[in-house]
Amino acid sequence: SEASLKLRDLHSRSERLGAKGSALEFGWATMGEGREMYLVVYNAGMTIASVLCTASVVFTLLNRGLSKVWVGAGQMFVVTQWLALLETVHAAAGVSKSSAGTAFAQWFGKSNVLLAILCFVPELQNSWATALLMFVWSSSEVVRYYYYLLTIVMGTTIPERLTWLRYTIFIPMYPIGMLCELLIMVLARPHIKGLHSVSMPNALNFGFDYQAFISALVWVYPLVWLPMYLHMFKLRAKKLGDGFRDKLKKSQ
């Protein structure tokens, strides 16, 4: 009858829609798994790279001396810093939950010192400020990337001591790093006249004096850095609250 034909047609449609829905759910699940696998590989790679950076600084200082620290470790830091730019891409593309603006600001701050100054000013490449800065950067990144890696792999079962270290190591490391970056920018000013600058007149009618930019940045750098530092204390309070302390006591 006509009614039975309509019922069969409706049943057939629902089966097709169900199949499509299942396929769609499977597709989203597969994409999610692929994203997680990629982040595991990326964070594992960056953990290893950061370990190598730290080891290269320590090994060079102990075996070849301060005068060879850039030769022994500089190139490794440059490559790792360019790879770190992918964190901004991940945030912008929705691959990670980070803020693209914050990720880029942090990358730009380090890159300004490493890629724009140290790569072009040999007079500062083998200074104590540079060696200390590279050690602080890389050792902090070992903890950060390893924490991200285990967060993906282990979820809520991540070791409490690692969580504590992730949200504690920044307390001494961030100020030391900021002061080293500031010192390098101050010391670089006599050596960067004309570097990365755009003189006028030109087709774009645009001028840029990198030396003047650094001179201005030196004055505002601590003011820009301080909110980021205080934000880390807020995250620390959130992550290491009373519930976390109870877990940490039980694990000891």
Side-chain angles (χ1 to χ4, degrees):
S1 67
E2 186 177 345
S4 62
L5 286 172
K6 285 183 179 179
L7 284 172
R8 280 200 297 269
D9 183 50
L10 286 171
H11 181 67
S12 177
R13 278 193 211 172
S14 66
E15 284 184 339
R16 287 198 301 273
L17 287 171
K20 286 181 181 178
S22 298
L24 187 61
E25 287 176 6
F26 176 75
W28 280 113
T30 303
M31 285 176 64
E33 289 174 3
R35 180 182 67 84
E36 284 197 357
M37 182 59 68
Y38 167 76
L39 288 175
V40 165
V41 172
Y42 176 77
N43 285 296
M46 292 301 285
T47 301
I48 294 169
S50 299
V51 169
L52 292 175
C53 283
T54 306
S56 64
V57 173
V58 174
F59 179 84
T60 304
L61 287 174
L62 292 178
N63 293 278
R64 302 175 69 184
L66 182 62
S67 63
K68 298 293 183 181
V69 71
W70 184 260
V71 172
Q75 195 59 44
M76 187 71 197
F77 274 82
V78 170
V79 172
T80 303
Q81 184 61 14
W82 280 115
L83 289 174
L85 182 58
L86 287 173
E87 288 187 58
T88 303
V89 177
H90 298 161
V95 175
S96 69
K97 296 178 182 179
S98 305
S99 163
T102 302
F104 182 75
Q106 291 174 339
W107 182 86
F108 179 81
K110 290 175 66 175
S111 296
N112 175 56
V113 173
L114 178 65
L115 304 178
I117 293 178
L118 290 176
C119 284
F120 292 89
V121 184
E123 292 85 353
L124 299 177
Q125 289 175 350
N126 297 308
S127 67
W128 274 109
T130 299
L132 179 58
L133 179 60
M134 291 198 295
F135 176 79
V136 167
W137 274 350
S138 57
S139 56
S140 300
E141 295 294 54
V142 170
V143 176
R144 186 171 73 92
Y145 284 117
Y146 188 55
Y147 176 81
Y148 289 162
L149 174 63
L150 292 196
T151 299
I152 299 168
V153 174
M154 302 178 68
T156 56
T157 61
I158 187 169
E160 284 82 9
R161 288 181 180 82
L162 179 60
T163 302
W164 179 87
L165 184 61
R166 164 70 180 101
Y167 291 98
T168 303
I169 194 173
F170 79 91
I171 296 174
M173 293 299 200
Y174 277 24
I176 294 171
M178 186 275 292
L179 291 172
C180 288
E181 291 170 11
L182 197 59
L183 179 60
I184 288 169
M185 285 190 282
V186 169
L187 295 175
R189 286 187 295 180
H191 305 286
I192 57 175
K193 186 174 178 61
L195 183 68
H196 310 313
S197 298
V198 179
S199 58
M200 293 181 66
N202 56 61
L204 297 175
N205 197 32
F206 169 78
F208 176 71
D209 188 329
Y210 184 65
Q211 187 184 46
F213 168 74
I214 291 298
S215 296
L217 184 60
V218 163
W219 289 102
V220 301
Y221 204 68
L223 301 177
V224 174
W225 169 85
L226 185 58
M228 294 184 184
Y229 188 54
L230 295 178
H231 177 66
M232 285 301 298
F233 277 98
K234 290 180 182 178
L235 289 179
R236 185 177 192 273
K238 183 179 178 181
K239 291 285 185 178
L240 307 184
D242 293 335
F244 175 84
R245 282 193 281 270
D246 291 339
K247 278 193 210 176
L248 191 59
K249 286 178 182 177
K250 289 178 183 178
S251 66
Q252 290 174 346

